[in-house]
Amino acid sequence: MRQALGVVRRNEWVNGRYKHLTVYAPGLAQVSQAGQFFHLLCGADVTSVLLRRPMSIYQMDPGRDELHFLYHVKGEGTRLLAEKQVGHTLDLVGPLGHGFTLAAPWRHVLVVARGVGMATLAPLIASARQRDVAVDVILSARTAADVLGEREFQAIGARVFTVTDATGSSQPEAVRMRVETLLGQGHTDAVYTCGSARLTRMLGEVANRWGLPGQVALEEHMACGIGMCQGCTRVFRREGSAVHLRVCREGPVFPLAEVMDA
Amino acid sequence: MTSADLSVQIGQLSLRNPVMPASGTFSEDLAEFIPLNELGALVTKSITLDVREGNPGPRLAETAAGLLNAIGIPSKGVAQFIAETLPFYRNFTAPLVPSISGDTAAEFARLAVLLSSEPVVRGLEVNISCPNLEDDGKSFAMDPVQTYRVLRQVRQATRLPVWAKLSPNVQSIAEVALAAQEAGADAVVVANTLLGMAIDVETRRPKLGNVTGGLSGPAVKPIILRMVHQVAKVVRIPVIGVGGIRSAEDVLEYLMAGATAVQVGTYNFVHPQGMVEVIAGLQKYLQRHGYASVRELIGSVIT
Ligand SMILES: Cc1cc2nc3c(=O)[nH]c(=O)nc-3n(C[C@H](O)[C@H](O)[C@H](O)COP(=O)(O)OP(=O)(O)OC[C@H]3O[C@@H](n4cnc5c(N)ncnc54)[C@H](O)[C@@H]3O)c2cc1C
Ligand SMILES: Cc1cc2nc3c(=O)[nH]c(=O)nc-3n(C[C@H](O)[C@H](O)[C@H](O)COP(=O)(O)O)c2cc1C
Ligand code: FES
């Protein structure tokens, strides 16, 4: 991990709420892993927005020396990020944290993404497909227009199911039935999720019952992103006791079985 | 151009330069970003006698040019700190100054005794901004009498240099600083965070799990700078300034106001390499103005 200056190559809207940012940052894509994140300096100086903003790696392209981020324009920090023009520099610290693991014997995985959580899961899906691992993806969003990645994941051979608040199909109970059906087909080796506390709890229960390994990428408010401030600490179940772990350092990806307060 | 002398003296302790991290804003993790030996000293997160959990989340809320934190003092306890953390610092020459925190004066003294037998420990920072269980939960640093009492006990428990970290949430910080000096402190650190609060208007809930928290960052600098100035005028011991530093200019202001050294806190979160850049900026300023030593600037403000 390190602090580096990248150059914005593209920063475009993908729908009314999300932007796709492409940054030229030599050497960083090569050392990045799915599930890790970068800490981005969004403001021009620290009096506009003081802290960096954590963003998952959405794609890494070592050939072009590019890192990609997909972000929800939410508050002041991401609004400033959205203003970055092609050619502007972007100060990044990373890659940070521990990413997903995809064990060699696993041949079939299930991914449940809520909203922009799909950005965090996208590079995992891509690397699973590269290794010819079958991937089922459940994409959950507010409306059909908010669903991101459906075609992108289909194009690399994933089986994609979309659920939305608008149709009621995104309710945890409805998603649980969908998950159970997929697991019932008997091929799934592991499950992954990101983006929703309710779905994380649900998937944790289901994975536990089926005896499947699961992983979740968590979000927590961060100041340093590198383990110094203890601002991002949460309680986890590890080796039979409750332990405080830093989401930025020991995470952001954790075994689902360790999560206590999703 | 010959480089200027950046070294300063805090009591018996010589620092190669006046810039060090502030307690709670630094850990071993920073070694992946900067050579720690380039810092004046290494101050750790406050450590307590026993294991503590810290506060419930959210523990952080960003404010205009500032950061509110209600981390509390999560601590693995001093025994683990000695066994697991201290060995790391043996690899470095920059003097290690653990920060200690306790509920009672006796706890502070006990911590001082335990840490004093560790050769890697070169000084102690006494964080008296925490609630005093012997005084209705008011912090030690809010009262000159309690400040004297705890510093006196630490002084009698150790021969290491002792720094008293004061709270800005007081009527007269100069009086508290004098009490610390009287008790035998080798330096005063001015200051801890300012008590603050923020509310999420969508949910009408406080943004911090603990409701209130400590404000740090650029927003607090003018206030703490004024306090450093007030304290430096009345004490004989060195003052270490801490609050809102993010550039060499900020450090220079603190030195001119009367600080002998400074600590950088929140800025480490924004720029992990920030302290090293600040030290380089300090050197440049001294050369540009033809100063032979940074010590010439201490208390040099023209009023
Ligand atoms: C490891 C990690 C990876 C993330 N990856 C992505 C991603 O790929 N795409 C994406 O759109 N978002 C992602 N987020 C969330 C993103 O960091 C926040 O949406 C962003 O910080 C909001 O900043 P703001 O100033 O626009 O919003 P505001 O709400 O104004 O932010 C105020 C403060 O709260 C913090 N904050 C607000 N929401 C969150 C949140 N969900 N998580 C952590 N801190 C928050 C901000 O950092 C800031 O300090 C990720 C968060 C984490 C922790
Ligand atoms: C996240 C965080 C944790 C802190 N923890 C401690 C602590 O454990 N002990 C202490 O004496 N001060 C602690 N402080 C206060 C800092 O050491 C410093 O006094 C304060 O942040 C002001 O400096 P700054 O504006 O440069 O951050 C903490 C500050 C922050 C932001
Ligand atoms: S954000 Fe500072 S420790 Fe995780």
Side-chain angles (χ1 to χ4, degrees), chain A residues 4-58:
Chain A
L5 271 190
V7 178
V8 174
R9 276 200 170 151
R10 279 179 299 280
N11 190 12
E12 286 154 6
W13 291 99
V14 296
N15 64 20
R17 298 163 65 220
Y18 299 112
K19 283 193 106 169
H20 178 170
L21 171 68
T22 307
V23 185
Y24 171 70
L28 293 183
Q30 290 78 355
V31 295
S32 297
Q33 280 165 9
Q36 287 187 304
F37 69 99
F38 278 84
H39 220 189
L40 309 182
L41 199 62
C42 299
D45 86 292
V46 299
T47 49
S48 54
V49 285
L50 179 63
L51 300 175
R52 289 172 182 268
R53 297 296 188 260
M55 285 297 161
S56 300
I57 302 159
Y58 167 50

Side-chain angles (χ1 to χ4, degrees), chain B residues 103-142:
Chain B
D103 291 336
T104 64
E107 267 185 42
F108 276 101
R110 181 85 194 119
L111 282 161
V113 169
L114 291 172
L115 289 166
S116 297
S117 55
E118 299 297 323
V120 67
V121 175
R122 305 281 303 283
L124 293 173
E125 184 173 282
V126 185
N127 175 12
I128 52 172
S129 305
C130 38
N132 174 359
L133 291 192
E134 294 161 320
D135 189 24
D136 212 16
K138 279 195 303 185
S139 91
F140 294 93
M142 284 170 76

Side-chain angles (χ1 to χ4, degrees), chain A residues 48-145:
Chain A
S48 54
V49 285
L50 179 63
L51 300 175
R52 289 172 182 268
R53 297 296 188 260
M55 285 297 161
S56 300
I57 302 159
Y58 167 50
Q59 281 169 31
M60 44 247 182
D61 189 337
R64 292 199 180 84
D65 267 324
E66 285 175 356
L67 289 171
H68 295 239
F69 302 96
L70 185 74
Y71 62 101
H72 174 199
V73 181
K74 184 182 182 206
E76 189 59 13
T78 47
R79 193 187 60 73
L80 287 166
L81 195 58
E83 283 178 4
K84 292 264 183 196
Q85 306 291 317
V86 174
H88 281 179
T89 56
L90 180 69
D91 183 322
L92 3 87
V93 170
L96 299 173
H98 289 92
F100 296 107
T101 49
L102 186 65
W106 295 348
R107 302 310 313 151
H108 195 132
V109 298
L110 168 66
V111 175
V112 181
R114 168 70 184 180
V116 79
M118 67 72 74
T120 310
L121 293 160
L124 169 76
I125 297 169
S127 71
R129 290 303 304 136
Q130 261 167 22
R131 284 159 53 175
D132 215 23
V133 173
V135 184
D136 292 330
V137 187
I138 300 177
L139 293 174
S140 168
R142 300 201 306 196
T143 64

